[in-house]
Amino acid sequence: MTQPVPHTARPVRRQRSASRSGVVLRRWKTPKGDLIVSLLTPQGKLRAIARGGLRGKHAGALNLFHHVGLQVYARPGDELAVIQQASLEGALPRLALPERHPYAHLLAELADLLFQEGEADEYGQQAFELFAGALRGVAHHHDPEWVALVMSYKLLALAGFPQRTRVCVRCGAADPQHPDPFGGELLCGRCSHQRALSPSSLDFLRGVVRRSVRENMDHPVPAEDRAPLWLGLERFVGVQVGRVRSWPHLHAG
């Protein structure tokens, strides 16, 4: 006679529903009209689908840069979680202003590239707080360009992509001061035909990772010296991380 399976030996069903809170990095429609969103959460990046797309009941909360609370459902092996409920927890309407929106869009695209889905590591909470703080700074600070520049370099370093600034990336000579036109890092005078960066730009590059966000914000690089920093950032990201579509909009702004 078959013995009954003890209660403690019965398989435990996995929890398929979960509550998450995050900031919308990206959203796009599928051919079927559903809405897929990418969010940065304290537990890592999350991609989820809202059935019904832009006309669905959750679409209003799932706008770019919104901080939302979600109830999601996913079975083991599912590529996308399904959004069951979505509620708006915070919005920054000033990010829609033309002088601020390109910087917010760049930061969101960088975060989407830099952080992988499902990464619940020790840096998840820090990445989320850094990115959320960056959006608040772009929305409210009188110099949104400087906020975006500082926070872009900070996000890169947190994701494991710090620039080399103490030695020439070609020959290893100390104290390089010239931009690398291909890799976005620094070269010595013998390896470069580019004009040397300004002292304030060099000081920023060599100290941005070590200094706190507040320390960086309190010592801005003059606006006329920032163009080489943006160009170096664009080239460095292109080589180390991947293509960023926001650069043309940033240049146009």
Side-chain angles (χ1 to χ4, degrees):
M1 182 175 178
T2 304
Q3 296 295 322
V5 178
H7 176 73
T8 55
R10 291 174 183 172
V12 178
R13 297 182 62 186
R14 291 188 178 183
Q15 182 69 31
R16 295 178 177 177
S17 293
S19 297
R20 302 290 289 272
S21 177
V23 177
V24 179
L25 302 173
R26 186 183 175 198
R27 51 180 252 158
W28 62 99
K29 284 186 67 176
T30 70
K32 294 182 179 180
D34 297 326
L35 184 66
I36 297 176
V37 293
S38 176
L39 305 101
L40 189 64
T41 80
Q43 295 79 34
K45 198 171 73 173
L46 170 71
R47 282 206 313 159
I49 186 167
R51 303 297 184 189
L54 297 178
R55 291 180 292 182
K57 62 181 179 179
H58 306 307
L62 296 173
N63 287 329
L64 279 179
F65 319 133
H66 278 183
H67 187 181
V68 295
L70 300 177
Q71 189 72 25
V72 296
Y73 176 88
R75 293 171 298 185
D78 282 354
E79 183 178 354
L80 294 171
V82 176
I83 297 174
Q84 298 175 306
Q85 295 181 5
S87 59
L88 181 62
E89 296 185 352
L92 296 167
R94 286 171 59 84
L95 292 179
L97 296 174
E99 67 271 21
R100 298 177 186 272
H101 184 268
Y103 299 116
H105 205 281
L106 172 67
L107 288 164
E109 191 174 359
L110 271 179
D112 196 35
L113 281 171
L114 290 170
F115 303 106
Q116 302 301 312
E117 294 176 43
E119 281 192 344
D121 58 27
E122 58 182 315
Y123 300 111
Q125 181 72 38
Q126 189 176 352
F128 173 76
E129 292 176 355
L130 188 64
F131 174 70
L135 290 186
R136 290 193 298 269
V138 169
H140 298 297
H141 198 273
H142 70 275
D143 191 352
E145 180 194 21
W146 181 237
V147 174
L149 195 59
V150 169
M151 300 307 258
S152 295
Y153 279 93
K154 282 290 193 182
L155 286 169
L156 278 167
L158 182 62
F161 297 96
Q163 286 182 309
R164 292 169 291 179
T165 60
R166 297 292 178 180
V167 297
C168 174
V169 296
R170 289 187 186 171
C171 72
D175 194 30
Q177 300 182 17
H178 302 259
D180 177 2
F182 302 105
E185 296 183 280
L186 292 181
L187 300 174
C188 68
R190 291 178 299 177
C191 294
S192 173
H193 299 292
Q194 303 287 320
R195 182 179 178 181
L197 295 176
S198 69
S200 62
S201 296
L202 286 170
D203 179 70
F204 168 73
L205 288 176
R206 291 169 179 167
V208 60
V209 175
R210 172 177 48 83
R211 294 170 183 151
S212 69
V213 171
R214 180 166 293 279
E215 287 173 329
N216 280 295
M217 292 304 302
D218 288 344
H219 298 87
V221 172
E224 61 270 19
D225 291 338
R226 295 176 189 175
L229 295 176
W230 280 117
L231 187 57
L233 178 67
E234 180 178 358
R235 289 168 175 167
F236 182 76
V237 170
V239 171
Q240 301 292 333
V241 184
R243 182 185 177 190
V244 174
R245 302 175 186 273
S246 299
W247 296 121
H249 304 287
L250 196 66
H251 298 325

